[in-house]
Amino acid sequence: MKDKIDLFLFVGQSNMAGRGDAEIAEKPIEGAAYEFRAVSDDSRLYPLHEPFGKFENREDGIDDRWGSIYAKSGDLVSAFTNMWFKRTGTSIVGVSASKGGSSIKEWIPGTKYHQDMLSRLDRAVSFLQRDNIEIRHVYALFCQGETDGDLKTDKDQYKSMFKEFLSSLKENGIEKIFVILIGKCNIEGKYDSYDEIRKAQEELSKENEDVVIVSRLLETFLEKGLMKDEFHYFQKGYDIVGRDAAQNAADHIISSIGKAWDQA
């Protein structure tokens, strides 16, 4: 590992957690990314592999299992970290904080998911500092909103709760939250474009420079045949959106600092 890394919190619901196929996911580039397992083993870093965060489940916190079944099966994280490494030359240490079916109200301060998320982040920072690994930047990658679409959460209510969520992240060291806009619902006879939630996230990005939309591709995946069921995507789709999000996130940071990445 290089002496400087970027710390990423991967947070959201099932399409961040991943419902793809780890066996055919993009293979991680050696040295590009590591997983800090804040729940199952916080004594070391693991080379990142799919499914990312599979065993990071806490019964009284973020728990992405259905009974004894581990829900995470293949995601966008390897594709994202590979592209980030290619664009920036900087390795990522990733922290998993995603739960299928979670609404935005379950992520605001005072909730068990929020408390667990911050605990995971804090453990990662403490570990890296203890091992003298310099943290260059701390970011969050966020993909959430389908559940709020199903719940018909009002746009302004969603924005209000997201702002609470963001404010706490900022207070705890997150510099920017990169947002992957959600796709569409593909339930036969109950098709929903989730426009209200995407509008909320678009408005948030225009109102706050630390909310950056890095991919809009999921909205196109229904028509492209990349949806495997009502809400989720084939592994090919996760790989595509992961690469797109990382390239746009890296390009945003590089352009905003106005100088070479290694001078950031």
Side-chain angles (χ1 to χ4, degrees):
M1 175 184 287
K2 294 184 178 181
D3 58 348
K4 296 180 181 180
I5 60 91
D6 290 324
L7 179 59
F8 265 85
L9 185 68
F10 293 94
V11 60
Q13 60 177 114
S14 58
N15 283 318
M16 177 58 72
R19 302 296 189 251
D21 184 350
E23 293 297 318
I24 59 172
E26 184 171 318
K27 302 305 179 186
I29 297 171
E30 184 177 355
Y34 301 84
E35 179 182 0
F36 177 74
R37 299 180 180 176
V39 179
S40 59
D41 182 7
D42 63 0
S43 66
R44 52 170 289 196
L45 295 177
Y46 288 81
L48 189 142
H49 64 82
E50 302 284 341
F52 172 73
K54 179 178 179 178
F55 299 111
E56 292 297 274
N57 302 290
R58 180 171 282 127
E59 289 185 5
D60 59 347
I62 300 168
D63 191 347
D64 199 32
R65 294 175 292 188
W66 305 316
S68 62
I69 299 174
Y70 291 87
K72 291 178 172 67
S73 58
D75 50 75
L76 57 83
V77 177
S78 287
F80 181 92
T81 57
N82 283 348
M83 180 59 74
W84 184 268
F85 186 70
K86 291 176 183 177
R87 294 289 293 125
T88 69
T90 306
S91 301
I92 281 177
V93 170
V95 179
S96 174
S98 54
K99 170 70 173 73
S102 53
S103 65
I104 190 64
K105 68 182 179 182
E106 294 178 283
W107 289 102
I108 62 175
T111 63
K112 64 180 182 180
Y113 294 165
H114 193 87
Q115 182 177 347
D116 189 11
M117 174 190 70
L118 294 184
S119 172
R120 296 177 186 213
L121 179 63
D122 183 65
R123 284 176 177 269
V125 170
S126 296
F127 172 86
L128 293 167
Q129 290 176 339
R130 188 171 64 247
D131 271 32
N132 296 314
I133 299 170
E134 182 178 342
I135 303 169
R136 189 190 297 243
H137 297 290
V138 186
Y139 301 124
L141 182 67
F142 182 79
C143 184
Q144 185 279 333
E146 296 93 341
T147 292
D148 286 288
D150 293 337
L151 294 173
K152 305 301 180 186
T153 302
D154 177 78
K155 174 170 66 70
D156 291 335
Q157 289 180 327
Y158 186 93
K159 287 176 63 178
S160 177
M161 288 185 282
F162 185 97
K163 288 175 182 177
E164 290 184 56
F165 171 73
L166 175 64
S167 178
S168 180
L169 286 180
K170 294 285 291 180
E171 290 172 3
N172 285 274
I174 297 290
E175 300 168 43
K176 291 184 181 291
I177 181 166
F178 299 121
V179 177
I180 297 173
L181 291 185
I182 60 172
K184 301 174 181 179
C185 172
N186 190 28
I187 298 177
E188 186 176 355
K190 296 182 179 180
Y191 171 81
D192 193 330
S193 66
Y194 295 148
D195 284 341
E196 190 80 353
I197 304 304
R198 274 196 302 278
K199 286 178 183 177
Q201 294 176 342
E202 290 271 14
E203 289 181 11
L204 285 161
S205 72
K206 292 175 182 177
E207 295 165 3
N208 193 314
E209 64 181 4
D210 295 324
V211 179
V212 183
I213 293 172
V214 292
S215 184
R216 295 176 169 84
L217 290 184
L218 290 182
E219 190 178 0
T220 70
F221 281 6
L222 175 59
E223 288 76 14
K224 292 180 178 178
L226 291 171
M227 293 195 76
K228 64 181 289 187
D229 58 29
E230 294 93 335
F231 305 105
H232 308 116
Y233 306 96
F234 291 112
Q235 185 60 49
K236 179 181 178 181
Y238 287 119
D239 289 347
I240 290 170
V241 76
R243 289 191 292 268
D244 184 57
Q247 180 165 331
N248 290 326
D251 288 351
H252 171 82
I253 296 300
I254 292 169
S255 64
S256 67
I257 62 177
K259 52 187 174 183
W261 183 264
D262 61 6
Q263 297 175 320

